Amino acid sequence: MTDSSSQNNNPKANKTTDSKSNRQYRKPRSKLSNRLFLAAISVSVFIGILLSGTQILFDAKASRQELNQQFQSILGMVTDSATQAIYQLDKTMASQVIDGLFENPSVSYAGIMHYDGIALTERHRQLPRTAYEPISQLIFGEALTYTFPLQHKQITYLDAKDSKAAKESIELYGHMIVTINPSLATESFINRASFLLLGGLVQSVCYGLALYFLFQFLITRPMTRIIKNLEDVNPNQPTFVALNIPKGHEDDEIGTWIKKVNGLFEAVKKYYGERLIAEAHVEHLSNYDLLTELPNRRLLIKHLEQTIAESNEKDQPFALLCCALDDFNAVNLLHSYHTGDKILLMLAERLRETIGNKSQLARLGGDMFALIVPNITPNNELKEIANKLLETIHLPFNIDQHSIQISASLGITCYPDDGINAETLLKNSENVMQLAKAQGGHGYEFYEQSVGERLRDTKLLEKSLSLVVQNEELQLEFQPQVLLATQQIIGVEALVRWHHPKRGLISPSEFIPIAENNQTIIKIGDWVLEQACRTLEFWKSVSPTAENFTISVNVSAVQLHYSDLVKRITYLIQRYKINPWQLVLEITETAVMSNVDSAIDILSGLKETGVQIAIDDFGTGHSSLSYIKQMPLDKIKIDGSFVHDIMNDTNNATIVNAIIQLGHSLNYTVIAEGTETQAQVEYLSDCGCDIAQGYYFYKPLKATELLRVVKQQSIKPVTNLVLDEDMTIPGLHRSVFDISNVN
Ligand code: C2E
Ligand code: CA
Ligand code: CA
């Protein structure tokens, strides 16, 4: 069978050619039965000839003896007459004897000779040639010559009375010579031999033919049927075709052979089935993510290539969104990898539901997903999708009685503007996503030409961040917090600044997310905490007012979850001799809500050191009241974005009011940040907000400036504050009003 697959690269074509060739039964070029027939007939002819030849040889020997005897007796019969003729020199009698001998048709010569060799009489005869002469000559020779002595036996009696006393003497007169042609004499032998030979040959041929039919019947026919049966088996798809055992062959070698082959087929089928399953499995593994069953990076590239082709055809642009979760490691660390996996599974389901059937979702690995959004035109539509995705991802996951909240960063690229092939598009989309992550996460970025450059900058910043503490490039500024009821500064928020040797001042909004990404925030956070405590110690040493100051320090989620804050704070409080309540840790609502249970644990631990805890950026992190109630909090800081629009957006005004009421109901102090205008301050005061922080009062100040401001404004010590009987500021630390606390 020709290997069609090697000549044809089209698998479909191969299949048809294969199956076609499989069904065409081709007669074998040489038949086993023919060869057996030839062998059998040759052997039997050879044996036939050998046996007949031997028989003929024996027969020839016997015929020759018979011929000798025959002529001996013929000659014997005429010896007396011949002896008499030569004795009497009677030619007539001699001729009569010779004629008598010539009666025999095989005699070609006969003569009666004197003992000296002179013929008394002789006769020749030309005999006709026979067909068997060559064979006869071969066996008996060309001619057979018999010489018979013509003699007279004479008895001389030595004693007349005794007959036994006699002497015998022989007198030779001559010879009688007869030559015969054996081919005439042995005609019957030749006939017999021919018959023998022919009979042997016919017998051999009959044997041969009988064998041929036997082989044909016993071997060739069943084998041909088996071969036809075998031809139905497609080697590329060896579905099991059981070979039939020809009737009567159930227990012989053919039957056994077929049973073995069938067993082999069954094994091949089983192996083939297993191989198909394994191949399908490998194919699936190489294209799909094990956990979520979503297409993996490999398949995504294929889908992207298809989408690019379709997009070119229809002239319709599409978008590729890369999505990475922010600090997903924390989930694995604070809960378990099992929980992490569950979240990824639920997230995949959520994303699938959100994007619908038109878009294609894939998992790029780890906490990274990608989706292809076809037929996209205006960026607004993409922004809408991105926001919807961010919202969906940010909704809490309830797993094993835990509520876990995560956020993500999205990188968005559009075909054909942001990359002309799948690889470039994906790479750009991943880069821009990294940039979105570096911006602080929970946001999206569109690709633009400068992304590469910005990413390089970020990488450079990331590198220099690790040396920022060591190189003393950090500095703290302090933004006063004003008690609205008295308009007095009652505390400050410490805000870090980075003086980059080449780039100058870098905002914390730019470098804190990068530091959180590469964990250098722990080192930076430690420095900030110590620096804040040291500054407070300094203020206290120069101004008694500072005794009642609180100093708020921002603590990042990474710091909260990955460093031993309790130990550090206990040490700092002792080292700088500050009242624990004077230190306020500001933790963003998102950091708390991402891992509520562990946050409750950690915050409770921190609370035991005596420090105050404030929830920062409140209103942005989808807090639920039930969780807020469980937290050991002291203060709530309303996010600046709500305060910003308070006068133009009634929604925001309502939210701010609600937060203040909620905070008070839980006995927390409420701080409004980002207050820039008098109107805002008034509104906040009307709502009962306790403390305000913002440019309306002060911008962040250097430590010495702050001291000057405090002195210049001759702010009355809070202890002079006269409170009405019913005027309480919930959550505000008692010592702020407690005269006994002031030295
Ligand atoms: P944040 O904790 O919400 O801090 C308030 C931010 O609002 C500060 O920005 C402050 O300068 C700014 N701000 C204050 N009043 C106003 C105002 O009236 N209008 C406007 N538009 N902005 C105002 P800054 O200093 O750039 O800090 C940005 C963010 O960086 C902070 O937001 C905080 O999340 C983070 N950050 C600053 N210092 C640290 C730190 O030491 N550790 C950590 N983990 N994060 C820090
Ligand atoms: Ca803050
Ligand atoms: Ca804030």
Side-chain angles (χ1 to χ4, degrees), residues 74-203:
I74 290 173
L75 291 176
M77 279 192 311
V78 294
T79 305
D80 283 348
S81 308
T83 309
Q84 209 174 346
I86 194 126
Y87 180 72
Q88 292 172 358
L89 300 173
D90 186 346
K91 276 193 176 188
T92 318
M93 193 181 208
S95 294
Q96 279 171 351
V97 170
I98 297 298
D99 288 346
L101 288 172
F102 265 75
E103 293 281 303
N104 189 315
S106 60
V107 174
S108 62
Y109 168 81
I112 294 171
M113 310 283 171
H114 289 286
Y115 65 91
D116 50 6
I118 297 164
L120 175 66
T121 182
E122 61 182 352
R123 192 172 149 192
H124 286 275
R125 170 162 81 174
Q126 191 69 37
L127 290 178
R129 300 188 74 83
T130 63
Y132 330 111
E133 213 159 273
I135 304 169
S136 164
Q137 277 178 7
L138 205 73
I139 300 168
F140 301 106
E142 214 166 312
L144 286 175
T145 300
Y146 299 93
T147 304
F148 212 85
L150 301 174
Q151 55 197 12
H152 179 71
K153 204 193 273 178
Q154 198 163 355
I155 301 165
T156 315
Y157 294 96
L158 301 173
D159 186 350
K161 291 175 185 169
D162 186 4
S163 59
K164 285 180 185 169
K167 188 182 144 197
E168 215 179 65
S169 63
I170 289 168
E171 197 179 343
L172 180 71
Y173 303 131
H175 293 95
M176 181 163 60
I177 299 167
V178 177
T179 300
I180 62 162
N181 182 338
S183 70
L184 288 172
T186 56
E187 199 175 334
S188 62
F189 157 75
I190 294 294
N191 283 340
R192 242 185 359 259
S194 308
F195 184 74
L196 257 175
L197 203 64
L198 198 74
L201 278 174
V202 169
Q203 205 176 22

Side-chain angles (χ1 to χ4, degrees), residues 33 54 90 96 219 394 520 635:
S33 57
T54 315
D90 186 346
Q96 279 171 351
I219 298 174
H394 205 47
T520 46
K635 296 176 175 178

